[in-house]
């Protein structure tokens, strides 16, 4: 019997020590954490796809489609650059956005307030001088 009592005390002592050893680890595990921070660079792109020309609607001539992508949190502008002094009075139409060019060489086609991916049809209605340049460049500028 003395041997049995000794064994019970030994097991009780072992369980008690194990509980005391685990308790601080459990408390520490709750206090330990990870702070993970990632930085995603701003990336914007536009890709034009010519789809043949033809009259779309009301004399507008199809210039194809373009796909715009920009992850800028503050949004972005779609800007059209063309030869200064040309395309005066021409109208560009991209989806629901419309801009009449004044010959300055640059115009804001649309403004977006957050990140976005979309594809739009682009068309143009010539001004009184027709299409008097072969340069029309679309770019995205993050805000």
């Amino acid at each position: 019997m003395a041997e049995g009592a000794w064994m019970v005390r030994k097991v009780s002592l072992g369980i008690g020590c194990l509980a005391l050893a685990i308790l601080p680890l459990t408390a520490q595990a709750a206090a330990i954490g990870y702070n993970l921070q990632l930085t995603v660079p701003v990336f914007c792109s536009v890709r034009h796809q010519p789809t043949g020309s033809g009259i779309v609607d009301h004399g507008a001539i199809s210039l194809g489609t373009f796909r715009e992508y920009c992850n800028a949190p503050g949004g972005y502008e779609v800007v059209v650059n063309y030869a200064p002094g040309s395309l005066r009075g021409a109208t560009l139409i991209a989806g629901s956005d419309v801009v009449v060019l004044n010959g300055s060489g640059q115009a804001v086609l649309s403004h977006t307030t957050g990140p976005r991916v979309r594809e739009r049809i682009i068309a143009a209605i010539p001004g009184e001088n027709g299409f008097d340049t072969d340069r029309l460049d679309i770019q995205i500028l993050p805000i």
Side-chain angles (χ1 to χ4, degrees):
M1 191 103 157
E3 189 175 311
W6 171 249
M7 188 62 117
V8 169
R9 273 191 261 161
K10 189 174 183 182
V11 170
S12 296
L13 184 61
I15 292 173
C17 287
L18 182 62
L20 287 175
I22 291 174
L23 183 62
L25 289 177
T26 307
Q28 285 179 357
I32 295 175
Y34 294 97
N35 184 9
L36 180 63
Q37 183 177 356
L38 299 173
T39 302
V40 177
V42 172
F43 178 76
C44 300
S45 70
V46 63
R47 187 174 34 148
H48 177 251
Q49 300 237 333
T51 55
S53 61
I55 296 180
V56 178
D57 195 18
H58 296 78
I61 298 169
S62 173
L63 301 176
T65 62
F66 68 95
R67 182 177 188 272
E68 60 191 70
Y69 167 84
C70 190
N71 68 352
Y76 61 93
E77 291 181 333
V78 176
V79 177
V80 178
N81 294 303
Y82 55 98
S86 66
L87 297 176
R88 192 178 311 269
T91 304
L92 288 180
I93 305 159
S96 62
D97 295 316
V98 177
V99 65
V100 177
L101 304 179
N102 61 9
S104 68
Q106 187 176 68
V108 175
L109 183 58
S110 64
H111 175 84
T112 305
T113 58
R116 183 179 280 181
V117 177
R118 67 180 168 176
E119 188 167 320
R120 300 192 279 170
I121 295 172
I122 186 166
I125 300 171
E128 55 187 58
N129 294 330
F131 293 120
D132 54 353
T133 185
D134 61 350
R135 183 177 152 232
L136 188 65
D137 179 47
I138 301 170
Q139 65 180 1
I140 292 182
L141 301 175
I143 298 174

